Amino acid sequence: MTPPLFAPQVAPAASSGGDNMLLPHSYDLLWGTVSFVIIAVVLIMYALPRFTKVLDERTRRIEEGLALADKAKGNQADAELRAARLVEDARREAASIREDAQAQAKEIIAEARTAAAGEAGKAMDAAQRQIQADRQAAQISLRTDVGLLASDLAEKIIGEQLTDSELSARVIDRFLDDLEEAPLRGADAAVSAEEAR
Protein backbone atom coordinates (compact mmCIF):
# COMPACT_ATOMS: atom_id res chain seq x y z
CA MET A 1 0.00 0.00 0.00
CA THR A 2 1.12 3.48 -0.81
CA PRO A 3 1.28 6.13 1.82
CA PRO A 4 -1.08 9.06 1.46
CA LEU A 5 0.35 12.19 -0.05
CA PHE A 6 -0.57 14.53 2.68
CA ALA A 7 0.25 12.37 5.61
CA PRO A 8 1.90 14.10 8.54
CA GLN A 9 5.52 13.42 8.92
CA VAL A 10 6.95 12.86 12.24
CA ALA A 11 10.24 14.55 12.99
CA PRO A 12 12.99 12.31 14.26
CA ALA A 13 13.62 12.68 17.86
CA ALA A 14 16.20 15.21 18.80
CA SER A 15 19.58 13.92 19.67
CA SER A 16 19.89 16.13 22.65
CA GLY A 17 17.11 16.72 25.03
CA GLY A 18 17.96 20.43 25.71
CA ASP A 19 17.57 22.03 22.25
CA ASN A 20 14.56 24.17 21.69
CA MET A 21 13.51 24.73 18.15
CA LEU A 22 12.08 28.13 18.80
CA LEU A 23 15.22 29.65 20.26
CA PRO A 24 18.12 30.42 17.92
CA HIS A 25 21.63 29.37 18.69
CA SER A 26 23.88 31.84 20.44
CA TYR A 27 26.25 32.23 17.47
CA ASP A 28 23.22 33.18 15.29
CA LEU A 29 22.25 35.76 17.87
CA LEU A 30 25.79 37.15 17.95
CA TRP A 31 26.18 37.40 14.18
CA GLY A 32 22.64 38.78 13.77
CA THR A 33 23.29 41.45 16.38
CA VAL A 34 26.68 42.37 14.82
CA SER A 35 25.07 42.57 11.37
CA PHE A 36 22.22 44.70 12.73
CA VAL A 37 24.65 47.07 14.43
CA ILE A 38 26.75 47.41 11.24
CA ILE A 39 23.70 48.06 9.11
CA ALA A 40 22.33 50.53 11.69
CA VAL A 41 25.68 52.39 11.85
CA VAL A 42 25.87 52.56 8.03
CA LEU A 43 22.28 53.76 7.82
CA ILE A 44 22.78 56.34 10.57
CA MET A 45 26.09 57.60 9.15
CA TYR A 46 25.28 57.64 5.42
CA ALA A 47 21.66 57.00 4.57
CA LEU A 48 19.98 58.97 7.36
CA PRO A 49 21.80 62.30 6.57
CA ARG A 50 20.98 61.90 2.87
CA PHE A 51 17.41 60.99 3.69
CA THR A 52 17.17 63.97 6.07
CA LYS A 53 18.73 66.21 3.42
CA VAL A 54 16.21 65.04 0.82
CA LEU A 55 13.35 65.55 3.27
CA ASP A 56 14.65 69.03 4.21
CA GLU A 57 15.03 69.94 0.52
CA ARG A 58 11.55 68.69 -0.20
CA THR A 59 10.16 70.60 2.81
CA ARG A 60 11.95 73.75 1.60
CA ARG A 61 10.51 73.36 -1.91
CA ILE A 62 7.02 72.80 -0.55
CA GLU A 63 7.35 75.91 1.65
CA GLU A 64 8.64 77.90 -1.33
CA GLY A 65 5.73 76.61 -3.41
CA LEU A 66 3.28 77.62 -0.70
CA ALA A 67 4.94 81.04 -0.44
CA LEU A 68 4.76 81.43 -4.23
CA ALA A 69 1.11 80.37 -4.15
CA ASP A 70 0.37 82.95 -1.46
CA LYS A 71 2.28 85.56 -3.45
CA ALA A 72 0.39 84.57 -6.62
CA LYS A 73 -2.91 84.90 -4.75
CA GLY A 74 -1.84 88.36 -3.59
CA ASN A 75 -0.75 89.27 -7.12
CA GLN A 76 -4.01 87.94 -8.50
CA ALA A 77 -5.97 90.03 -6.01
CA ASP A 78 -3.88 93.09 -6.99
CA ALA A 79 -4.39 92.30 -10.66
CA GLU A 80 -8.14 92.00 -10.13
CA LEU A 81 -8.16 95.36 -8.32
CA ARG A 82 -6.14 96.95 -11.12
CA ALA A 83 -8.44 95.40 -13.72
CA ALA A 84 -11.48 96.72 -11.85
CA ARG A 85 -9.87 100.18 -11.71
CA LEU A 86 -9.06 100.03 -15.42
CA VAL A 87 -12.63 99.01 -16.24
CA GLU A 88 -13.99 101.84 -14.08
CA ASP A 89 -11.58 104.33 -15.69
CA ALA A 90 -12.60 103.07 -19.14
CA ARG A 91 -16.28 103.53 -18.25
CA ARG A 92 -15.63 107.06 -17.01
CA GLU A 93 -13.64 107.87 -20.14
CA ALA A 94 -16.40 106.43 -22.35
CA ALA A 95 -18.99 108.51 -20.48
CA SER A 96 -16.81 111.60 -20.91
CA ILE A 97 -16.35 110.88 -24.61
CA ARG A 98 -20.11 110.38 -24.97
CA GLU A 99 -20.81 113.69 -23.22
CA ASP A 100 -18.23 115.47 -25.38
CA ALA A 101 -19.74 113.93 -28.50
CA GLN A 102 -23.23 115.02 -27.45
CA ALA A 103 -21.98 118.54 -26.71
CA GLN A 104 -20.21 118.65 -30.08
CA ALA A 105 -23.34 117.34 -31.79
CA LYS A 106 -25.39 120.11 -30.15
CA GLU A 107 -22.82 122.69 -31.25
CA ILE A 108 -22.82 121.31 -34.79
CA ILE A 109 -26.63 121.35 -34.87
CA ALA A 110 -26.68 124.93 -33.54
CA GLU A 111 -24.09 125.97 -36.13
CA ALA A 112 -26.04 124.20 -38.87
CA ARG A 113 -29.24 125.94 -37.78
CA THR A 114 -27.47 129.30 -37.73
CA ALA A 115 -25.95 128.63 -41.14
CA ALA A 116 -29.32 127.45 -42.47
CA ALA A 117 -31.01 130.56 -41.07
CA GLY A 118 -28.31 132.69 -42.70
CA GLU A 119 -28.73 130.85 -46.00
CA ALA A 120 -32.50 131.15 -45.72
CA GLY A 121 -32.10 134.89 -45.06
CA LYS A 122 -29.84 135.19 -48.07
CA ALA A 123 -32.29 133.21 -50.18
CA MET A 124 -35.16 135.41 -48.96
CA ASP A 125 -33.16 138.55 -49.77
CA ALA A 126 -32.30 137.18 -53.19
CA ALA A 127 -35.93 136.22 -53.75
CA GLN A 128 -37.08 139.71 -52.63
CA ARG A 129 -34.57 141.32 -54.98
CA GLN A 130 -35.69 139.04 -57.79
CA ILE A 131 -39.34 139.82 -57.08
CA GLN A 132 -38.54 143.53 -56.99
CA ALA A 133 -36.63 143.27 -60.26
CA ASP A 134 -39.46 141.26 -61.85
CA ARG A 135 -41.98 143.80 -60.56
CA GLN A 136 -40.01 146.70 -61.97
CA ALA A 137 -39.61 144.87 -65.27
CA ALA A 138 -43.36 144.16 -65.30
CA GLN A 139 -44.12 147.78 -64.47
CA ILE A 140 -41.87 149.00 -67.26
CA SER A 141 -43.37 146.53 -69.69
CA LEU A 142 -46.89 147.39 -68.57
CA ARG A 143 -46.16 151.11 -68.78
CA THR A 144 -44.87 150.70 -72.28
CA ASP A 145 -47.87 148.61 -73.34
CA VAL A 146 -50.37 150.94 -71.65
CA GLY A 147 -48.60 153.97 -73.14
CA LEU A 148 -48.85 152.51 -76.61
CA LEU A 149 -52.49 151.66 -76.05
CA ALA A 150 -53.19 155.13 -74.66
CA SER A 151 -51.42 156.72 -77.61
CA ASP A 152 -53.43 154.62 -80.07
CA LEU A 153 -56.62 155.44 -78.22
CA ALA A 154 -55.81 159.17 -78.19
CA GLU A 155 -55.09 159.10 -81.91
CA LYS A 156 -58.39 157.40 -82.55
CA ILE A 157 -60.26 159.84 -80.33
CA ILE A 158 -58.61 162.94 -81.75
CA GLY A 159 -58.44 161.54 -85.20
CA GLU A 160 -54.88 162.69 -85.80
CA GLN A 161 -51.62 161.06 -85.38
CA LEU A 162 -49.51 162.42 -82.58
CA THR A 163 -46.32 163.35 -84.30
CA ASP A 164 -44.58 165.02 -81.45
CA SER A 165 -42.89 162.22 -79.48
CA GLU A 166 -42.24 164.45 -76.46
CA LEU A 167 -45.85 165.40 -76.24
CA SER A 168 -46.85 161.80 -76.61
CA ALA A 169 -44.48 160.76 -73.81
CA ARG A 170 -45.88 163.46 -71.51
CA VAL A 171 -49.46 162.42 -72.20
CA ILE A 172 -48.62 158.77 -71.57
CA ASP A 173 -46.77 159.59 -68.33
CA ARG A 174 -49.62 161.73 -67.04
CA PHE A 175 -52.11 159.00 -67.89
CA LEU A 176 -50.05 156.35 -66.09
CA ASP A 177 -49.57 158.59 -63.05
CA ASP A 178 -53.31 159.03 -62.85
CA LEU A 179 -53.75 155.26 -63.07
CA GLU A 180 -51.24 154.68 -60.26
CA GLU A 181 -52.93 157.23 -57.99
CA ALA A 182 -56.39 155.83 -58.59
CA PRO A 183 -55.88 152.60 -56.53
CA LEU A 184 -54.27 154.64 -53.74
CA ARG A 185 -57.24 156.99 -53.62
CA GLY A 186 -59.59 153.98 -53.51
CA ALA A 187 -57.56 152.43 -50.64
CA ASP A 188 -57.60 155.73 -48.69
CA ALA A 189 -61.37 155.99 -49.17
CA ALA A 190 -61.81 152.40 -47.93
CA VAL A 191 -59.72 153.13 -44.83
CA SER A 192 -61.73 156.31 -44.15
CA ALA A 193 -65.01 154.42 -44.51
CA GLU A 194 -63.74 151.75 -42.16
CA GLU A 195 -62.72 154.35 -39.58
CA ALA A 196 -66.12 156.08 -39.86
CA ARG A 197 -67.87 152.87 -38.81
Side-chain angles (χ1 to χ4, degrees), residues 36-86:
F36 178 74
V37 169
I38 291 172
I39 290 173
V41 167
V42 168
L43 284 175
I44 289 172
M45 302 231 358
Y46 296 108
L48 187 61
R50 288 183 182 175
F51 184 69
T52 306
K53 184 178 178 184
V54 168
L55 285 178
D56 289 343
E57 180 66 24
R58 188 168 182 171
T59 303
R60 185 184 61 79
R61 285 185 182 172
I62 290 171
E63 287 174 353
E64 285 177 357
L66 290 173
L68 286 174
D70 289 340
K71 185 177 179 183
K73 284 181 185 177
N75 288 343
Q76 182 181 3
D78 289 344
E80 287 174 358
L81 287 174
R82 277 184 265 139
R85 278 192 228 119
L86 287 174

Short mmCIF file of all heavy atoms in Angstrom, two decimals, residues 36-86:
data_model
loop_
_atom_site.label_atom_id
_atom_site.label_comp_id
_atom_site.label_asym_id
_atom_site.label_seq_id
_atom_site.Cartn_x
_atom_site.Cartn_y
_atom_site.Cartn_z
N PHE A 36 23.20 43.62 12.51
CA PHE A 36 22.22 44.70 12.73
C PHE A 36 22.91 45.99 13.12
O PHE A 36 22.57 47.08 12.62
CB PHE A 36 21.23 44.27 13.83
CG PHE A 36 20.23 45.32 14.15
CD1 PHE A 36 19.17 45.62 13.30
CD2 PHE A 36 20.38 46.09 15.31
CE1 PHE A 36 18.27 46.61 13.62
CE2 PHE A 36 19.48 47.08 15.61
CZ PHE A 36 18.41 47.34 14.77
N VAL A 37 23.92 45.87 14.00
CA VAL A 37 24.65 47.07 14.43
C VAL A 37 25.39 47.68 13.25
O VAL A 37 25.40 48.90 13.06
CB VAL A 37 25.61 46.72 15.60
CG1 VAL A 37 26.58 47.86 15.89
CG2 VAL A 37 24.82 46.37 16.85
N ILE A 38 26.02 46.88 12.41
CA ILE A 38 26.75 47.41 11.24
C ILE A 38 25.78 48.11 10.28
O ILE A 38 26.04 49.22 9.80
CB ILE A 38 27.52 46.27 10.53
CG1 ILE A 38 28.67 45.79 11.40
CG2 ILE A 38 28.03 46.74 9.17
CD1 ILE A 38 29.38 44.56 10.88
N ILE A 39 24.68 47.45 10.02
CA ILE A 39 23.70 48.06 9.11
C ILE A 39 23.13 49.34 9.71
O ILE A 39 22.97 50.36 9.01
CB ILE A 39 22.58 47.05 8.79
CG1 ILE A 39 23.13 45.94 7.91
CG2 ILE A 39 21.42 47.72 8.08
CD1 ILE A 39 22.19 44.78 7.65
N ALA A 40 22.86 49.34 11.03
CA ALA A 40 22.33 50.53 11.69
C ALA A 40 23.34 51.66 11.64
O ALA A 40 22.99 52.82 11.38
CB ALA A 40 21.95 50.21 13.13
N VAL A 41 24.64 51.36 11.90
CA VAL A 41 25.68 52.39 11.85
C VAL A 41 25.78 52.95 10.44
O VAL A 41 25.87 54.17 10.22
CB VAL A 41 27.02 51.83 12.35
CG1 VAL A 41 28.18 52.77 12.02
CG2 VAL A 41 26.97 51.58 13.83
N VAL A 42 25.77 52.10 9.43
CA VAL A 42 25.87 52.56 8.03
C VAL A 42 24.65 53.42 7.69
O VAL A 42 24.77 54.49 7.08
CB VAL A 42 25.99 51.36 7.08
CG1 VAL A 42 25.80 51.78 5.63
CG2 VAL A 42 27.34 50.70 7.23
N LEU A 43 23.49 52.98 8.11
CA LEU A 43 22.28 53.76 7.82
C LEU A 43 22.32 55.10 8.54
O LEU A 43 21.96 56.14 7.96
CB LEU A 43 21.03 52.98 8.23
CG LEU A 43 20.61 51.84 7.30
CD1 LEU A 43 19.42 51.08 7.88
CD2 LEU A 43 20.27 52.35 5.92
N ILE A 44 22.73 55.10 9.81
CA ILE A 44 22.78 56.34 10.57
C ILE A 44 23.83 57.28 10.01
O ILE A 44 23.63 58.49 9.92
CB ILE A 44 23.01 56.05 12.06
CG1 ILE A 44 21.74 55.42 12.66
CG2 ILE A 44 23.34 57.31 12.84
CD1 ILE A 44 21.92 54.91 14.08
N MET A 45 24.99 56.75 9.59
CA MET A 45 26.09 57.60 9.15
C MET A 45 25.89 58.09 7.70
O MET A 45 26.25 59.22 7.38
CB MET A 45 27.41 56.86 9.26
CG MET A 45 27.66 56.42 10.66
SD MET A 45 29.19 56.79 11.46
CE MET A 45 30.25 57.61 10.45
N TYR A 46 25.34 57.26 6.84
CA TYR A 46 25.28 57.64 5.42
C TYR A 46 23.85 57.85 4.91
O TYR A 46 23.56 58.87 4.28
CB TYR A 46 25.97 56.57 4.55
CG TYR A 46 27.44 56.46 4.84
CD1 TYR A 46 27.95 55.37 5.52
CD2 TYR A 46 28.32 57.45 4.43
CE1 TYR A 46 29.30 55.28 5.81
CE2 TYR A 46 29.67 57.36 4.73
CZ TYR A 46 30.16 56.27 5.41
OH TYR A 46 31.48 56.18 5.69
N ALA A 47 23.00 56.93 5.17
CA ALA A 47 21.66 57.00 4.57
C ALA A 47 20.78 58.02 5.28
O ALA A 47 20.04 58.76 4.63
CB ALA A 47 21.00 55.63 4.61
N LEU A 48 20.84 58.06 6.62
CA LEU A 48 19.98 58.97 7.36
C LEU A 48 20.27 60.44 7.03
O LEU A 48 19.34 61.21 6.80
CB LEU A 48 20.08 58.71 8.86
CG LEU A 48 19.09 59.50 9.73
CD1 LEU A 48 17.66 59.13 9.35
CD2 LEU A 48 19.34 59.23 11.20
N PRO A 49 21.57 60.90 6.96
CA PRO A 49 21.80 62.30 6.57
C PRO A 49 21.28 62.61 5.16
O PRO A 49 20.71 63.67 4.91
CB PRO A 49 23.32 62.46 6.64
CG PRO A 49 23.79 61.40 7.56
CD PRO A 49 22.82 60.27 7.40
N ARG A 50 21.48 61.66 4.24
CA ARG A 50 20.98 61.90 2.87
C ARG A 50 19.45 61.94 2.88
O ARG A 50 18.85 62.79 2.22
CB ARG A 50 21.47 60.81 1.92
CG ARG A 50 22.93 60.93 1.62
CD ARG A 50 23.38 59.90 0.63
NE ARG A 50 24.80 60.00 0.38
CZ ARG A 50 25.48 59.17 -0.36
NH1 ARG A 50 24.86 58.15 -0.93
NH2 ARG A 50 26.76 59.33 -0.53
N PHE A 51 18.86 61.03 3.61
CA PHE A 51 17.41 60.99 3.69
C PHE A 51 16.88 62.28 4.33
O PHE A 51 15.91 62.88 3.85
CB PHE A 51 16.97 59.76 4.50
CG PHE A 51 15.49 59.57 4.57
CD1 PHE A 51 14.75 59.22 3.44
CD2 PHE A 51 14.80 59.77 5.76
CE1 PHE A 51 13.39 59.04 3.51
CE2 PHE A 51 13.45 59.61 5.84
CZ PHE A 51 12.73 59.23 4.71
N THR A 52 17.55 62.71 5.41
CA THR A 52 17.17 63.97 6.07
C THR A 52 17.36 65.15 5.13
O THR A 52 16.52 66.05 5.08
CB THR A 52 18.02 64.15 7.34
OG1 THR A 52 17.91 63.00 8.16
CG2 THR A 52 17.56 65.36 8.13
N LYS A 53 18.47 65.13 4.38
CA LYS A 53 18.73 66.21 3.42
C LYS A 53 17.64 66.25 2.35
O LYS A 53 17.14 67.32 1.99
CB LYS A 53 20.11 66.01 2.79
CG LYS A 53 20.52 67.12 1.85
CD LYS A 53 21.90 66.86 1.31
CE LYS A 53 22.31 67.93 0.32
NZ LYS A 53 23.60 67.67 -0.29
N VAL A 54 17.26 65.10 1.84
CA VAL A 54 16.21 65.04 0.82
C VAL A 54 14.89 65.54 1.40
O VAL A 54 14.17 66.31 0.76
CB VAL A 54 16.08 63.60 0.27
CG1 VAL A 54 14.81 63.44 -0.56
CG2 VAL A 54 17.29 63.24 -0.57
N LEU A 55 14.59 65.09 2.63
CA LEU A 55 13.35 65.55 3.27
C LEU A 55 13.38 67.06 3.53
O LEU A 55 12.38 67.75 3.33
CB LEU A 55 13.11 64.79 4.58
CG LEU A 55 12.63 63.34 4.44
CD1 LEU A 55 12.49 62.71 5.82
CD2 LEU A 55 11.31 63.29 3.70
N ASP A 56 14.53 67.58 3.99
CA ASP A 56 14.65 69.03 4.21
C ASP A 56 14.50 69.80 2.90
O ASP A 56 13.82 70.85 2.86
CB ASP A 56 16.00 69.36 4.87
CG ASP A 56 16.07 68.89 6.32
OD1 ASP A 56 15.00 68.61 6.89
OD2 ASP A 56 17.19 68.81 6.85
N GLU A 57 15.13 69.29 1.83
CA GLU A 57 15.03 69.94 0.52
C GLU A 57 13.58 69.93 0.03
O GLU A 57 13.07 70.92 -0.48
CB GLU A 57 15.94 69.24 -0.50
CG GLU A 57 15.90 69.82 -1.89
CD GLU A 57 16.46 71.24 -1.96
OE1 GLU A 57 17.27 71.63 -1.10
OE2 GLU A 57 16.06 71.96 -2.89
N ARG A 58 12.95 68.79 0.22
CA ARG A 58 11.55 68.69 -0.20
C ARG A 58 10.67 69.62 0.63
O ARG A 58 9.79 70.30 0.10
CB ARG A 58 11.09 67.25 -0.06
CG ARG A 58 9.75 67.01 -0.64
CD ARG A 58 9.45 65.56 -0.74
NE ARG A 58 8.15 65.41 -1.36
CZ ARG A 58 7.66 64.28 -1.75
NH1 ARG A 58 8.37 63.18 -1.60
NH2 ARG A 58 6.48 64.20 -2.27
N THR A 59 10.92 69.69 1.93
CA THR A 59 10.16 70.60 2.81
C THR A 59 10.38 72.05 2.38
O THR A 59 9.43 72.84 2.31
CB THR A 59 10.60 70.40 4.27
OG1 THR A 59 10.41 69.04 4.63
CG2 THR A 59 9.80 71.29 5.20
N ARG A 60 11.65 72.39 2.06
CA ARG A 60 11.95 73.75 1.60
C ARG A 60 11.22 74.07 0.30
O ARG A 60 10.64 75.15 0.14
CB ARG A 60 13.46 73.90 1.41
CG ARG A 60 13.89 75.34 1.06
CD ARG A 60 15.37 75.42 0.77
NE ARG A 60 15.77 74.61 -0.35
CZ ARG A 60 15.62 74.95 -1.64
NH1 ARG A 60 15.05 76.09 -1.95
NH2 ARG A 60 16.02 74.16 -2.62
N ARG A 61 11.20 73.13 -0.64
CA ARG A 61 10.51 73.36 -1.91
C ARG A 61 9.00 73.51 -1.70
O ARG A 61 8.36 74.35 -2.34
CB ARG A 61 10.79 72.20 -2.87
CG ARG A 61 12.17 72.25 -3.47
CD ARG A 61 12.35 71.18 -4.49
NE ARG A 61 13.69 71.18 -5.04
CZ ARG A 61 14.17 70.26 -5.84
NH1 ARG A 61 13.41 69.23 -6.18
NH2 ARG A 61 15.39 70.34 -6.31
N ILE A 62 8.46 72.68 -0.83
CA ILE A 62 7.02 72.80 -0.55
C ILE A 62 6.71 74.15 0.07
O ILE A 62 5.74 74.82 -0.30
CB ILE A 62 6.55 71.64 0.36
CG1 ILE A 62 6.59 70.32 -0.42
CG2 ILE A 62 5.16 71.90 0.92
CD1 ILE A 62 6.36 69.09 0.42
N GLU A 63 7.56 74.60 1.02
CA GLU A 63 7.35 75.91 1.65
C GLU A 63 7.48 77.03 0.63
O GLU A 63 6.71 77.99 0.63
CB GLU A 63 8.33 76.09 2.81
CG GLU A 63 7.99 75.24 4.02
CD GLU A 63 9.05 75.33 5.11
OE1 GLU A 63 10.12 75.95 4.86
OE2 GLU A 63 8.82 74.77 6.19
N GLU A 64 8.48 76.90 -0.28
CA GLU A 64 8.64 77.90 -1.33
C GLU A 64 7.41 77.90 -2.25
O GLU A 64 6.93 78.96 -2.66
CB GLU A 64 9.90 77.63 -2.16
CG GLU A 64 11.18 77.99 -1.46
CD GLU A 64 12.41 77.63 -2.30
OE1 GLU A 64 12.24 77.05 -3.41
OE2 GLU A 64 13.52 77.92 -1.86
N GLY A 65 6.92 76.71 -2.57
CA GLY A 65 5.73 76.61 -3.41
C GLY A 65 4.53 77.25 -2.74
O GLY A 65 3.74 77.97 -3.39
N LEU A 66 4.38 77.00 -1.43
CA LEU A 66 3.28 77.62 -0.70
C LEU A 66 3.44 79.14 -0.65
O LEU A 66 2.46 79.89 -0.80
CB LEU A 66 3.18 77.05 0.72
CG LEU A 66 2.72 75.59 0.81
CD1 LEU A 66 2.83 75.10 2.25
CD2 LEU A 66 1.29 75.45 0.30
N ALA A 67 4.68 79.59 -0.45
CA ALA A 67 4.94 81.04 -0.44
C ALA A 67 4.63 81.65 -1.81
O ALA A 67 4.02 82.72 -1.90
CB ALA A 67 6.38 81.33 -0.03
N LEU A 68 5.05 80.94 -2.88
CA LEU A 68 4.76 81.43 -4.23
C LEU A 68 3.25 81.44 -4.49
O LEU A 68 2.73 82.35 -5.13
CB LEU A 68 5.47 80.57 -5.27
CG LEU A 68 6.99 80.79 -5.39
CD1 LEU A 68 7.59 79.79 -6.35
CD2 LEU A 68 7.28 82.21 -5.86
N ALA A 69 2.56 80.41 -3.98
CA ALA A 69 1.11 80.37 -4.15
C ALA A 69 0.45 81.54 -3.43
O ALA A 69 -0.46 82.18 -3.97
CB ALA A 69 0.55 79.04 -3.65
N ASP A 70 0.91 81.81 -2.19
CA ASP A 70 0.37 82.95 -1.46
C ASP A 70 0.67 84.25 -2.18
O ASP A 70 -0.19 85.14 -2.29
CB ASP A 70 0.94 83.01 -0.04
CG ASP A 70 0.40 81.89 0.85
OD1 ASP A 70 -0.66 81.34 0.51
OD2 ASP A 70 1.04 81.59 1.87
N LYS A 71 1.91 84.35 -2.70
CA LYS A 71 2.28 85.56 -3.45
C LYS A 71 1.44 85.68 -4.72
O LYS A 71 0.99 86.78 -5.08
CB LYS A 71 3.77 85.50 -3.80
CG LYS A 71 4.29 86.75 -4.45
CD LYS A 71 5.78 86.66 -4.69
CE LYS A 71 6.30 87.91 -5.37
NZ LYS A 71 7.73 87.81 -5.66
N ALA A 72 1.21 84.55 -5.40
CA ALA A 72 0.39 84.57 -6.62
C ALA A 72 -1.04 84.97 -6.29
O ALA A 72 -1.67 85.72 -7.05
CB ALA A 72 0.41 83.19 -7.29
N LYS A 73 -1.56 84.49 -5.15
CA LYS A 73 -2.91 84.90 -4.75
C LYS A 73 -2.96 86.40 -4.50
O LYS A 73 -3.90 87.08 -4.91
CB LYS A 73 -3.35 84.15 -3.49
CG LYS A 73 -3.75 82.72 -3.74
CD LYS A 73 -4.19 82.06 -2.44
CE LYS A 73 -4.49 80.58 -2.66
NZ LYS A 73 -4.85 79.90 -1.40
N GLY A 74 -1.91 86.91 -3.82
CA GLY A 74 -1.84 88.36 -3.59
C GLY A 74 -1.74 89.12 -4.90
O GLY A 74 -2.42 90.14 -5.09
N ASN A 75 -0.89 88.62 -5.80
CA ASN A 75 -0.75 89.27 -7.12
C ASN A 75 -2.05 89.21 -7.90
O ASN A 75 -2.40 90.16 -8.61
CB ASN A 75 0.38 88.62 -7.92
CG ASN A 75 1.75 88.95 -7.36
OD1 ASN A 75 1.89 89.90 -6.60
ND2 ASN A 75 2.74 88.17 -7.72
N GLN A 76 -2.74 88.07 -7.79
CA GLN A 76 -4.01 87.94 -8.50
C GLN A 76 -5.02 88.93 -7.94
O GLN A 76 -5.75 89.57 -8.69
CB GLN A 76 -4.55 86.51 -8.36
CG GLN A 76 -5.85 86.29 -9.11
CD GLN A 76 -6.37 84.87 -8.94
OE1 GLN A 76 -5.79 84.07 -8.23
NE2 GLN A 76 -7.47 84.58 -9.60
N ALA A 77 -5.05 89.06 -6.61
CA ALA A 77 -5.97 90.03 -6.01
C ALA A 77 -5.62 91.45 -6.47
O ALA A 77 -6.50 92.24 -6.81
CB ALA A 77 -5.92 89.93 -4.49
N ASP A 78 -4.31 91.77 -6.50
CA ASP A 78 -3.88 93.09 -6.99
C ASP A 78 -4.26 93.28 -8.45
O ASP A 78 -4.71 94.36 -8.85
CB ASP A 78 -2.36 93.26 -6.83
CG ASP A 78 -1.95 93.40 -5.36
OD1 ASP A 78 -2.83 93.67 -4.53
OD2 ASP A 78 -0.74 93.22 -5.07
N ALA A 79 -4.05 92.21 -9.24
CA ALA A 79 -4.39 92.30 -10.66
C ALA A 79 -5.89 92.50 -10.85
O ALA A 79 -6.32 93.27 -11.71
CB ALA A 79 -3.93 91.04 -11.40
N GLU A 80 -6.69 91.82 -10.04
CA GLU A 80 -8.14 92.00 -10.13
C GLU A 80 -8.53 93.42 -9.75
O GLU A 80 -9.39 94.03 -10.40
CB GLU A 80 -8.86 90.99 -9.23
CG GLU A 80 -8.82 89.57 -9.77
CD GLU A 80 -9.39 88.55 -8.81
OE1 GLU A 80 -9.80 88.95 -7.69
OE2 GLU A 80 -9.45 87.37 -9.18
N LEU A 81 -7.88 93.98 -8.71
CA LEU A 81 -8.16 95.36 -8.32
C LEU A 81 -7.77 96.33 -9.44
O LEU A 81 -8.50 97.27 -9.76
CB LEU A 81 -7.44 95.72 -7.03
CG LEU A 81 -8.00 95.10 -5.75
CD1 LEU A 81 -7.09 95.41 -4.57
CD2 LEU A 81 -9.40 95.63 -5.48
N ARG A 82 -6.58 96.08 -10.02
CA ARG A 82 -6.14 96.95 -11.12
C ARG A 82 -7.08 96.83 -12.32
O ARG A 82 -7.41 97.84 -12.95
CB ARG A 82 -4.72 96.58 -11.55
CG ARG A 82 -3.67 97.24 -10.67
CD ARG A 82 -2.26 96.96 -11.16
NE ARG A 82 -1.80 95.81 -10.39
CZ ARG A 82 -1.11 94.80 -10.86
NH1 ARG A 82 -0.74 94.78 -12.11
NH2 ARG A 82 -0.75 93.79 -10.11
N ALA A 83 -7.51 95.59 -12.61
CA ALA A 83 -8.44 95.40 -13.72
C ALA A 83 -9.76 96.11 -13.45
O ALA A 83 -10.33 96.75 -14.34
CB ALA A 83 -8.68 93.91 -13.95
N ALA A 84 -10.24 96.03 -12.20
CA ALA A 84 -11.48 96.72 -11.85
C ALA A 84 -11.30 98.23 -11.99
O ALA A 84 -12.20 98.93 -12.49
CB ALA A 84 -11.90 96.37 -10.42
N ARG A 85 -10.14 98.74 -11.56
CA ARG A 85 -9.87 100.18 -11.71
C ARG A 85 -9.82 100.58 -13.18
O ARG A 85 -10.35 101.62 -13.58
CB ARG A 85 -8.56 100.55 -11.02
CG ARG A 85 -8.73 100.76 -9.53
CD ARG A 85 -7.48 101.40 -8.92
NE ARG A 85 -7.14 100.64 -7.73
CZ ARG A 85 -6.02 99.98 -7.51
NH1 ARG A 85 -5.06 100.01 -8.39
NH2 ARG A 85 -5.82 99.30 -6.41
N LEU A 86 -9.15 99.73 -13.99
CA LEU A 86 -9.06 100.03 -15.42
C LEU A 86 -10.44 100.03 -16.07
O LEU A 86 -10.74 100.89 -16.90
CB LEU A 86 -8.15 99.00 -16.11
CG LEU A 86 -6.66 99.13 -15.84
CD1 LEU A 86 -5.90 97.97 -16.46
CD2 LEU A 86 -6.12 100.44 -16.38
#
